[in-house]
Amino acid sequence: MAASSNSSLSGSSVSSDAEEYQPPIWKSYLYQLQQEAPRPKRIICPREVENRPKYYGREFHGIISREQADEILAGVEGAYILRESQRQPGCYTLALRFGNQTLNYRLFYDGKHFVGEKRFESIHDLVTDGLITLYIETKASEYISKMTTNPIYEHIGYATLLREKVSRRLSRTKNESRKASVTSEENTPVEKVHTFRGPHWCEYCANFMWGLIAQGVRCSDCGLNVHKQCSKYVPNDCQPDLKRIKRVYCCDLTTLVKAHNTQRPMVVDSCIREIEARGLKSEGLYRVSGFTEHIEDVKMAFDRDGDKADISASIYPDINIIAGALKLYFRDLPIPVITYDTYSKFIEAAKISNPDERLEAIHEVLMLLPAAHYETLRYLMIHLKKVTLHEKDNFMNAENLGIVFGPTLMRPPEDSTLATLNDMRYQKLIVQILIENEDVLF
């Protein structure tokens, strides 16, 4: 959760009232330190350097020694240059001035720049993030080591339903049978390193999550945002609290259905129900766009009113607006319906030339999807099959729908334009096969 602009940023006490959620009071110390951190200062080489790597700029000074780098940077806090190693030609080093000394880091590039785990689009961002981390860890090492001693986690809502869930589980008999279908199995939450846009505070310790990128981790199940070092103290068996789910769009799919105790997101059910009631014969269904501002109105209605949102013909007579709102919901998911973890497996399955083997491979990958994703995809494919049955009126067959929904339902894990372009035909083919064979695959 990002800190609200009108939240107090001092103190650490929070309400423990289980009946009414009270936002925690975020701690400002680390945020203030980030604001104080030295700013990067690029030192440009005064001469033209031959054989400069194309991904480095004029901060590259060629082959120089550590001593020469130290002289260039002396006295300028936050100053940096890039150099090629004298001892190992072809190896590059970031020389950075911090704390009245020159620090040298082995520099790598694989499409992005990095010296450790984090990867950056530019050297400037890498240095900015590095200076923030160095400054905070230098000034607040003792404070950071004690961040987890007074957690707010128990007070912010995530633990409320967790306690009820554990209590219900303990009350079951040991021999209670459990349905073993893909649509009912529970998923182990996964904490993934996450880049937060704008200031964010840890929902375990209430401290600021510093840095430019990869500031912490986010639980793929309940959406909890925490420092990496705080994540090991958070229970694995999490459950989202409905009071904290403030919107429908842009919310993790599994989190939404768990919070509302539904099989699928209500926006999917509502839009498909409306389209099947009055739009299956609409020419160019899903291909023709509705007015963007009206689609945004539908999005706001779902975020505000949930399953009570009115998307009837009296409010939105153009069915393309409802179809557009459904597509927008899928595009806005932080984890696509066809998840990042299964993306490459689906693409490889699509490349199999033998139709029967390809179908079997796709079926096997489908079984890897989280329960909420599988059920949502199944329900959507049944609907799109109905759309194709009216092809003579709407001119939308499985191939056309595959073109529309391929990039909507699946995206490559890496935000790469080249990968997206290379995979487009396979994305289309996957959705086309899912529609044509929905009765077999699901």
Side-chain angles (χ1 to χ4, degrees):
M1 174 192 292
S4 171
S5 59
N6 57 4
S7 295
S8 171
L9 294 177
S10 60
S12 60
S13 63
V14 295
S15 170
S16 60
D17 183 1
E19 298 302 318
E20 183 178 354
Y21 168 70
Q22 295 292 331
I25 299 174
W26 307 110
K27 303 170 187 176
S28 64
Y29 178 52
L30 298 180
Y31 176 76
Q32 292 167 352
L33 287 183
Q34 174 161 311
Q35 299 301 103
E36 297 169 4
R39 299 291 185 263
K41 302 175 183 66
R42 184 173 72 140
I43 307 299
I44 294 174
C45 185
R47 56 186 174 81
E48 189 63 36
V49 179
E50 293 185 5
N51 301 320
R52 182 180 72 196
K54 62 182 180 180
Y55 40 83
Y56 294 145
R58 294 185 60 192
E59 69 276 8
F60 182 73
H61 286 244
I63 300 178
I64 60 173
S65 66
R66 286 188 173 217
E67 291 73 24
Q68 289 173 301
D70 191 49
E71 289 178 11
I72 294 171
L73 299 175
V76 185
E77 193 78 349
Y80 70 94
I81 63 168
L82 308 182
R83 64 183 181 87
E84 186 173 359
S85 172
Q86 282 186 323
R87 300 173 186 172
Q88 296 177 287
C91 295
Y92 303 101
T93 299
L94 166 67
L96 172 65
R97 192 72 179 176
F98 178 81
N100 296 319
Q101 59 180 323
T102 299
L103 308 176
N104 291 275
Y105 298 94
R106 180 77 176 273
L107 188 60
F108 301 91
Y109 181 80
D110 64 355
K112 292 187 178 182
H113 304 277
F114 61 100
V115 297
E117 292 182 354
K118 294 184 178 184
R119 283 166 162 72
F120 299 83
E121 296 289 346
S122 69
I123 292 293
H124 184 272
D125 285 350
L126 185 154
V127 175
T128 302
D129 187 85
L131 287 170
I132 289 170
T133 301
L134 287 167
Y135 188 79
I136 287 178
E137 291 182 351
T138 300
K139 295 284 186 179
S141 59
E142 184 177 355
Y143 181 91
I144 291 171
S145 69
K146 296 178 180 178
M147 284 195 311
T148 59
T149 57
N150 186 28
I152 64 164
Y153 175 79
E154 288 291 325
H155 305 286
I156 64 172
Y158 284 91
T160 306
L161 292 185
L162 173 61
R163 286 192 291 270
E164 296 173 4
K165 186 178 179 183
V166 171
S167 177
R168 288 196 301 269
R169 183 184 301 128
L170 292 175
S171 68
R172 293 173 184 164
T173 61
K174 291 183 179 180
N175 296 324
E176 181 180 0
S177 62
R178 185 182 179 197
K179 191 176 179 181
S181 68
V182 67
T183 54
S184 65
E185 68 181 23
E186 293 181 11
N187 304 297
T188 302
V190 177
E191 290 172 344
K192 289 189 175 182
V193 174
H194 189 78
T195 294
F196 299 94
R197 303 302 178 191
H200 268 70
W201 273 253
C202 175
E203 292 172 318
Y204 182 83
C205 71
N207 280 287
F208 179 67
M209 301 169 77
W210 65 89
L212 285 191
I213 68 168
Q215 303 96 327
V217 298
R218 168 174 287 175
C219 177
S220 63
D221 207 351
C222 70
L224 185 73
N225 303 318
V226 295
H227 291 112
K228 192 173 182 180
Q229 60 265 46
C230 291
S231 64
K232 59 187 175 184
Y233 297 104
V234 177
N236 289 327
D237 193 5
C238 57
Q239 175 81 16
D241 192 325
L242 185 57
K243 291 179 295 185
R244 297 181 53 76
I245 306 301
K246 301 299 184 185
R247 59 186 179 181
V248 173
Y249 281 71
C250 302
C251 178
D252 175 69
L253 195 156
T254 298
T255 300
L256 189 67
V257 300
K258 276 194 169 187
H260 290 270
N261 194 27
T262 57
Q263 285 187 302
R264 299 172 299 275
M266 87 285 286
V267 63
V268 175
D269 282 3
S270 297
C271 287
I272 286 179
R273 187 164 54 245
E274 193 68 24
I275 291 167
E276 291 187 354
R278 59 184 174 99
L280 287 177
K281 295 183 178 181
S282 177
E283 183 175 339
L285 182 63
Y286 289 116
R287 179 178 55 79
V288 176
S289 300
F291 286 112
T292 302
E293 59 268 31
H294 293 166
I295 292 172
E296 286 293 325
D297 284 345
V298 174
K299 172 182 176 179
M300 290 173 61
F302 277 114
D303 283 341
R304 183 183 63 246
D305 303 326
D307 58 3
K308 304 270 193 312
D310 186 356
I311 57 171
S312 63
S314 61
I315 307 296
Y316 302 104
D318 182 4
I319 198 63
N320 294 311
I321 294 169
I322 309 304
L326 181 60
K327 290 189 294 181
L328 179 62
Y329 171 76
F330 290 130
R331 286 198 302 271
D332 278 355
L333 284 173
I335 300 174
V337 175
I338 292 178
T339 61
Y340 293 128
D341 291 341
T342 60
Y343 179 87
S344 61
K345 295 181 178 67
F346 273 106
I347 295 298
E348 290 306 311
K351 293 178 180 178
I352 297 173
S353 56
N354 183 285
D356 292 336
E357 292 178 4
R358 181 172 58 202
L359 203 62
E360 182 61 32
I362 291 173
H363 181 262
E364 289 178 4
V365 186
L366 280 172
M367 294 300 103
L368 301 178
L369 288 173
H373 289 249
Y374 177 93
E375 172 58 23
T376 301
L377 186 62
R378 183 193 70 83
Y379 191 72
L380 177 64
M381 292 305 113
I382 292 172
H383 163 66
L384 294 181
K385 184 67 169 285
K386 293 178 184 177
V387 173
T388 65
L389 298 179
H390 296 270
E391 181 187 351
K392 68 179 190 303
D393 296 306
N394 60 37
F395 301 104
M396 295 300 289
N397 57 27
E399 183 178 6
N400 293 336
L401 291 168
I403 293 171
V404 173
F405 278 94
T408 302
L409 298 176
M410 55 194 304
R411 304 189 295 271
E414 296 294 328
D415 188 14
S416 167
T417 304
L418 183 60
T420 301
L421 291 173
N422 289 338
D423 292 346
M424 279 184 69
R425 60 175 173 155
Y426 299 115
Q427 293 172 351
K428 183 267 293 183
L429 182 58
I430 286 292
V431 175
Q432 180 181 344
I433 292 171
L434 291 176
I435 296 171
E436 292 173 341
N437 301 276
E438 56 83 17
D439 55 334
V440 176
L441 289 171
F442 295 95

